[in-house]
Amino acid sequence: MSAGVALIDPFIRGVAAGAILVLGLSALRAGISSSARAVCAAVAVSLVAWLITEAGPLWSAMGDNRFLMALAFPVAGLYWLFVITVFGDRPVTPLTLLPAGLLALSGFLTPIGGGSCGWLWTLRNLASAGLAIHGGVVILRSWRGDLIEGRRRIRGPLFALTIVFTLAEVALALTNRAQPVGIWMRFEVGEIYGGAIVAVLAVSLAVLFMELRPSLIGAPQVAETRADARAEAADRLAVERLQAAMAAEGWRREALTIGALASELDLPEHRLRRLINQRLGYRNFADFLNAHRIEAAKRRLADPAEARTTVAVIAFDLGYGSLGPFNRAFRASTGKTPSEWRRLALAETLPELQRAL
């Protein structure tokens, strides 16, 4: 590395680190849940640590600190946690923390300088690529059903700016491990071009997330009555039509999309999204459908006349394409599996029936 590059590189990484820390601070100041703030702050700290450990001169200046390695290595796991929390609306649990925890542990197990743990280095990079791919799947899969307009708009840029970059960096790292000669080496995060790309990405993301608001990560907020009486009346009528369609069990159809429902109600799709989000308080369309389906499932599971009906039959009859999504939605709503909930509900119902007889 020439003297000029040696001076420019720390400056570029400083710009990137500054933008990343701005993101973390903006999340800490936003009116969001404590778990969401913790996730955003952890991602910011891990990214900064990763920038340092990937830069040879900075890493040496830090004394090859193992604790810094443990902070840097879980960056892919923490980013994945950020994606499923913010865009997948999943809570932070010990299971969702596990990937980041295992990657952090690898930081303590890896000898300084790589040593003889080449298999661990390869495994960690492949795991990071897998987490990045799944994060991209989460961003894309739930895009259409997202009811929060601001969050919908940033899905595309976030996917393009981070997922593609992560996969490219993992591919470069694996290639350089096998053949550490070539112009592509300059584009690794530890090199000048790679550092410049990270700085551009960090500043771009800071611009995207600078106006972080509770609606992005926090609990859904029901809108107040609109001042325009005519618009307010139109919204009320539209919500009544929507609720009538749900009362008629319109939610029962498998693979029902918000676009199909909007067509049936003769409403623009963006308006239906706004009504379900701001009038009824749901963050995504799947949660809206699940609220109706799970209530119906609870009634059927508690009915002694349906005691011999399998959980799978009930799930399919309520519009689920497979048993897995039904089990996850039911557990998220009740804290119990359908079978556990049925056993407890029937245990309470049968004594009442016996007394009535």
Side-chain angles (χ1 to χ4, degrees):
M1 183 180 292
S2 66
V5 171
L7 291 175
I8 295 173
D9 189 66
F11 171 76
I12 290 174
R13 294 179 190 279
V15 170
I20 292 167
L21 291 177
V22 165
L23 284 172
L25 289 173
S26 67
L28 289 176
R29 296 181 60 187
I32 59 179
S33 66
S34 57
S35 60
R37 286 198 298 270
V39 170
C40 292
V43 172
V45 171
S46 187
L47 278 171
V48 172
W50 179 59
L51 280 173
I52 294 172
T53 57
E54 288 293 322
L58 288 176
W59 178 227
S60 299
M62 291 287 181
D64 296 342
N65 190 289
R66 184 174 293 279
F67 178 71
L68 198 61
M69 288 174 61
L71 286 177
F73 283 3
V75 64
L78 290 171
Y79 172 76
W80 174 80
L81 180 61
F82 170 78
V83 169
I84 66 169
T85 301
V86 174
F87 296 93
D89 288 324
R90 290 179 58 181
V92 177
T93 65
L95 186 61
T96 59
L97 287 169
L98 184 60
L102 291 176
L103 290 172
L105 179 62
S106 73
F108 287 106
L109 296 178
T110 301
I112 298 295
S116 60
C117 285
W119 64 270
L120 185 58
W121 181 92
T122 302
L123 182 62
R124 184 170 58 248
N125 276 274
L126 292 176
S128 297
L131 290 168
I133 292 172
H134 185 261
V137 169
V138 170
I139 290 175
L140 297 178
R141 182 179 57 196
S142 54
W143 195 333
R144 185 70 185 272
D146 196 345
L147 303 177
I148 302 173
E149 191 58 34
R151 190 171 64 175
R152 289 186 74 247
R153 285 199 302 267
I154 66 174
R155 284 177 182 265
L158 182 67
F159 178 83
L161 292 175
T162 58
I163 304 301
V164 174
F165 170 77
T166 301
L167 294 179
E169 281 299 317
V170 170
L172 281 172
L174 293 173
T175 300
N176 290 341
R177 189 82 169 185
Q179 186 180 357
V181 178
I183 187 63
W184 56 80
M185 291 186 64
R186 294 293 185 91
F187 291 91
E188 277 198 303
V189 176
E191 299 295 330
I192 181 67
Y193 297 151
I197 292 173
V198 171
V200 171
L201 292 178
V203 172
S204 300
L205 289 175
V207 171
L208 282 174
F209 284 89
M210 187 65 73
E211 296 299 322
L212 194 62
R213 290 291 181 265
S215 61
L216 183 64
I217 306 176
Q221 296 181 345
V222 179
E224 299 178 356
T225 302
R226 298 173 69 176
D228 187 334
R230 181 180 295 180
E232 175 62 26
D235 279 358
R236 280 203 306 270
L237 287 174
V239 170
E240 288 173 5
R241 287 160 54 198
L242 171 62
Q243 292 175 329
M246 294 299 102
E249 298 190 347
W251 45 264
R252 188 183 290 274
R253 281 168 296 156
E254 182 181 342
L256 176 64
T257 65
I258 192 168
L261 183 57
S263 297
E264 291 179 15
L265 297 175
D266 195 23
L267 291 172
E269 189 174 322
H270 69 87
R271 186 181 175 199
L272 182 58
R273 281 198 186 93
R274 178 179 59 80
L275 291 173
I276 298 175
N277 176 233
Q278 298 183 7
R279 295 285 172 166
L280 302 180
Y282 293 95
R283 291 172 60 82
N284 60 70
F285 189 62
D287 284 350
F288 172 68
L289 292 180
N290 284 335
H292 295 279
R293 291 171 174 173
I294 297 304
E295 284 304 312
K298 288 160 68 175
R299 290 193 295 270
R300 293 186 62 174
L301 291 170
D303 186 354
E306 299 235 36
R308 293 185 178 275
T309 305
T310 65
V311 171
V313 168
I314 292 175
F316 297 143
D317 192 38
L318 295 178
Y320 288 95
S322 61
L323 192 56
F326 171 67
N327 286 335
R328 287 193 294 272
F330 195 93
R331 192 180 188 96
S333 175
T334 66
K336 298 179 177 62
T337 65
S339 298
E340 292 170 341
W341 199 92
R342 166 183 263 174
R343 178 173 52 79
L344 294 173
L346 291 178
E348 294 178 0
T349 303
L350 290 176
E352 294 179 2
L353 291 175
Q354 292 172 350
R355 285 195 300 270
L357 296 173

